[in-house]
Amino acid sequence: MISSASTPGAERHVDAISDQFVEESAAADPIMATYLGIAGYDDQLPDLSPDGFANRAQLGRTALAAVAAADPIDNREQVAKDAFCERVGLEVERDDAHITQTQVSVIASWFHGLREMFDLMDTETEPGWESIDARMAGIPQAIADYRRTLAEEADAGYVSSRQQLVKVAKQFKGWTGEGENGKNFFLELAARAEVGDTLSAQVARHAQQASQAFSDLADFLVAFSSRGRDKEAVGREEYALDSRYFLGAAVDLDETYAWGWQELERLDDAMREAAGKIVPGGSIPDAVATLDADPRRVLEGTDKLREWMQSLADKAIADLGDVHFDIPEPIRTIECRIAPTGDGGIYYTGPSEDFSRPGRMWWDVPPGVTEFATWKETTTVYHEGVPGHHLQVAQTIYRRELLNRWQRLMCWVSGHGEGWALYSERLMDDLGYLADPGDKLGMLDGQSLRAARVIVDIGMHLELEIPTDNPFGFHPGERWNPEYGFEFMRQHCLTDDKTLRYEVDRYLGWPGQAPSYKVGERIWLQARDDARVRHGDRFDLHAFHRRALDLGPMGLDPFREALARL
């Protein structure tokens, strides 16, 4: 229970309650603690039984009631209170809707957390390997507990879709060496342990047991899929909750869907214009062929990819620091890595609380992919690094004098964070860092992907009618379904079919998250325009960015309200 809410005479300040919530949440979810860089929990796993979920849900409800009753001592605490009540309030709503307990998708689940936590653990010291070993040993029981939770939830009518369960099972087989790449994540991790024969042998034994537990889990999920929902589409009611959760804002879904079409048409025109600068009079495919044939724009092998990522990320930090952004010294380090699984995707993980573990940019390279086009991905490095996620996340962790511990470590809103990262890509174009026509085309392609996501994600989950007058003549008057989703993405993204299949599977299993990038960017741009109007000739972009980032992460509705008070 939250001590400051229950102890007579205790101060009921927002910061004190929020900070206590961090400690109690870390103890209840050690995976989260590792992800956030909170020390002391790396040898533990969360209780994934029904009781474990109930206890974490009660922790959130108790903290929410305490913060809601607290009196902020100043505007800074008012911002913290608004952020906490919005975020934890939605987490409680998701608990009540049984989403937290049951959502299993190809990109996010409690099972994914059990594997991904190892990517952030210490592999350089014996105590680090002792923690890894303890967690490896606990995986079979954690999986057994969560299987029981899923079964009890299914008995009550709450379950993920049949299709997602089967796809996730295939994914897990890939982790255990039974997939197309033949790599066993757990055994390969254990093989890196050079800490004496006894501990190394123990790690190897527990890695084998963890691998077997995930293999058995995959078989369970295939059988369990018979209990799954027939449709991957979640419908308007659940989608509205999902959208609010990922945006931290309530948006008109039908207006947003219509805006997505308009935005994609704008970007399509911009891509054609950019292509004409690469191949005068040529088409987008002509420009792509020209760029891909340029050996200066192609990297061979993951070592070259990692080196290129690191060099570009370091240069951005050096160029932007003290000029366009205030970048404290601990934030000027970012580490670029190749992810160990081959599931696909590019992502960022933040630094530990004490910055002993740096912020990291990860590239999860699919099996068989050995060539990488820099023109497509220059903008991605800015998205994941600086001024994107690394600047925003690491600076938030650094701002101890402005933000309480919950704000710095636990608060994440996809629309705020991904919206900022996409806004950052456009900002880098404005600052001249995408002046190269190829890099500009790559940025526009990434923007088009995010705009197409708005259309496809909302369209598929709400099973909307495709507009009869849509600008691309795409199946006018018909209803969205997964195959139309793939076909549409294929028409509007310069990405291979395997990646796009995964993209569509991701949208179907994680409703509301994919649109948060583009919708979040839209709200960031609106917030900047509103500030420009409020401040008139006194508006300063550098100062706007500083004030906005110093508010810390929060839902986009309270974010706009907080900015308006500055």
Side-chain angles (χ1 to χ4, degrees):
M1 301 293 286
I2 299 294
S3 58
S4 58
S6 55
T7 303
E11 288 189 0
R12 294 171 57 82
H13 290 169
V14 172
D15 286 346
I17 301 167
S18 300
D19 289 351
Q20 183 67 21
F21 180 61
V22 174
E23 287 293 335
E24 297 183 350
S25 295
D29 183 1
I31 292 177
M32 180 203 71
T34 294
Y35 184 81
L36 298 178
I38 299 174
Y41 301 95
D42 280 358
D43 60 343
Q44 302 170 38
L45 292 174
D47 179 358
L48 299 183
S49 71
D51 285 345
F53 281 96
N55 290 338
R56 283 187 293 274
Q58 186 56 45
L59 186 66
R61 290 188 182 89
T62 303
L64 178 62
V67 170
D71 296 321
I73 60 176
D74 53 22
N75 183 64
R76 185 196 59 76
E77 268 210 348
Q78 183 64 57
V79 171
K81 176 177 180 175
D82 293 344
F84 191 97
C85 290
E86 186 276 337
R87 195 71 336 220
V88 179
L90 277 168
E91 289 169 359
V92 168
E93 285 191 58
R94 284 168 64 85
D95 288 335
D96 291 342
H98 298 258
I99 296 171
T100 306
Q101 302 91 320
T102 64
Q103 190 172 71
V104 176
S105 79
V106 296
I107 193 170
S109 73
W110 287 91
F111 295 130
H112 285 76
L114 288 173
R115 192 219 61 76
E116 291 166 359
M117 64 186 174
F118 292 109
D119 297 347
L120 301 176
M121 294 183 67
D122 171 23
T123 58
E124 303 298 323
T125 68
E126 185 166 328
W129 280 104
E130 289 172 347
S131 294
I132 290 172
D133 180 59
R135 280 185 159 169
M136 288 278 199
I139 281 179
Q141 185 61 54
I143 288 177
D145 287 342
Y146 194 37
R147 284 171 55 167
R148 181 157 58 90
T149 297
L150 290 177
E152 289 191 14
E153 291 288 337
D155 289 342
Y158 302 103
V159 64
S160 292
S161 74
R162 180 176 65 254
Q163 298 90 332
Q164 285 288 315
L165 293 166
V166 170
K167 292 166 187 172
V168 170
K170 181 179 179 181
Q171 193 176 46
F172 292 169
K173 288 291 188 180
W175 296 355
T176 60
E178 300 162 88
E180 61 183 283
N181 65 5
K183 294 173 62 176
N184 186 306
F185 166 80
F186 302 97
L187 300 187
E188 289 193 3
L189 175 61
R192 294 163 51 194
E194 298 179 359
V195 284
D197 292 345
T198 300
L199 180 55
S200 294
Q202 190 167 289
V203 171
R205 182 172 69 256
H206 289 146
Q208 182 61 57
Q209 293 169 358
S211 176
Q212 188 61 54
F214 266 97
S215 181
D216 294 343
L217 169 63
D219 295 334
F220 163 80
L221 290 175
V222 171
F224 183 69
S225 68
S226 64
R227 306 186 66 182
R229 299 193 318 266
D230 290 335
K231 283 186 177 182
E232 290 181 273
V234 297
R236 187 176 288 267
E237 182 178 356
E238 181 178 324
Y239 192 88
L241 172 57
D242 291 326
S243 177
R244 284 195 293 121
Y245 175 73
F246 285 113
L247 288 174
V251 298
D252 183 324
L253 294 175
D254 296 297
E255 186 277 335
T256 303
Y257 174 70
W259 169 80
W261 287 98
Q262 297 166 7
E263 182 67 0
L264 185 60
E265 183 179 19
R266 180 188 70 81
L267 289 163
D268 190 62
D269 291 341
M271 287 185 70
R272 294 180 193 283
E273 180 181 347
K277 294 179 180 178
I278 298 166
V279 180
S283 64
I284 295 174
D286 293 336
V288 171
T290 298
L291 294 169
D292 285 344
D294 184 347
R296 297 169 300 174
R297 300 178 183 271
V298 177
L299 300 171
E300 290 282 350
T302 53
D303 287 343
K304 292 292 185 183
L305 172 64
R306 192 203 64 77
E307 292 170 5
W308 172 79
M309 291 163 58
Q310 189 70 61
S311 176
L312 189 59
D314 289 344
K315 184 178 186 303
I317 292 172
D319 287 356
L320 298 179
D322 302 325
V323 179
H324 298 288
F325 294 96
D326 303 320
I327 305 181
E329 191 60 37
I331 299 171
R332 298 191 180 218
T333 298
I334 184 172
E335 191 175 272
C336 296
R337 290 193 171 192
I338 304 301
T341 55
D343 289 337
I346 306 165
Y347 56 95
Y348 173 80
T349 56
S352 58
E353 193 171 14
D354 61 1
F355 286 90
S356 60
R357 184 189 77 204
R360 290 170 177 158
M361 185 189 314
W362 299 82
W363 201 302
D364 205 355
V365 180
V369 177
T370 58
E371 288 191 353
F372 308 92
T374 59
W375 67 269
K376 284 185 181 180
E377 307 300 351
T378 295
T379 191
T380 303
V381 174
Y382 300 143
H383 180 109
E384 303 294 342
V386 169
H389 288 319
H390 179 64
L391 175 64
Q392 182 187 39
V393 173
Q395 180 167 302
T396 294
I397 293 172
Y398 182 80
R399 294 291 195 223
R400 290 173 177 266
E401 79 282 6
L402 296 176
L403 305 170
N404 66 42
R405 202 174 182 211
W406 176 83
Q407 289 173 289
R408 289 185 289 109
L409 298 182
M410 280 186 68
C411 185
W412 170 259
V413 183
S414 185
H416 185 276
E418 299 296 355
W420 166 263
L422 203 58
Y423 169 91
S424 295
E425 294 186 47
R426 187 179 293 198
L427 179 66
M428 289 300 273
D429 184 32
D430 294 342
L431 295 176
Y433 284 84
L434 297 171
D436 177 90
D439 293 343
K440 178 65 172 283
L441 185 63
M443 185 273 284
L444 291 170
D445 176 52
Q447 290 267 339
S448 294
L449 168 70
R450 276 51 171 259
R453 282 174 170 177
V454 174
I455 299 166
V456 170
D457 199 80
I458 297 175
M460 289 193 303
H461 280 291
L462 273 57
E463 297 180 293
L464 296 177
E465 180 181 297
I466 299 170
T468 55
D469 59 350
N470 76 79
F472 310 107
F474 184 82
H475 294 283
E478 300 188 47
R479 295 275 172 187
W480 281 104
N481 60 48
E483 282 309 308
Y484 283 171
F486 172 73
E487 182 184 342
F488 191 77
M489 297 300 293
R490 199 167 186 249
Q491 287 184 12
H492 294 282
C493 306
L494 304 176
T495 306
D496 62 275
D497 284 358
K498 183 175 181 179
T499 300
L500 289 178
R501 283 287 182 195
Y502 176 78
E503 279 282 317
V504 174
D505 288 343
R506 163 187 170 173
Y507 310 157
L508 290 163
W510 216 18
Q513 195 274 342
S516 67
Y517 296 67
K518 196 66 181 161
V519 179
E521 180 203 39
R522 184 189 191 190
I523 294 175
W524 267 99
L525 289 168
Q526 290 171 343
R528 186 182 69 182
D529 290 344
D530 290 345
R532 197 185 302 274
V533 170
R534 281 197 305 273
H535 296 285
D537 293 340
R538 295 180 294 108
F539 177 79
D540 176 80
L541 186 60
H542 186 142
F544 167 77
H545 290 148
R546 184 179 64 249
R547 288 194 299 268
L549 292 178
D550 281 351
L551 287 171
M554 65 181 74
L556 288 169
D557 275 346
F559 170 66
R560 286 186 289 196
E561 293 170 6
L563 271 180
R565 293 197 295 266
L566 296 179

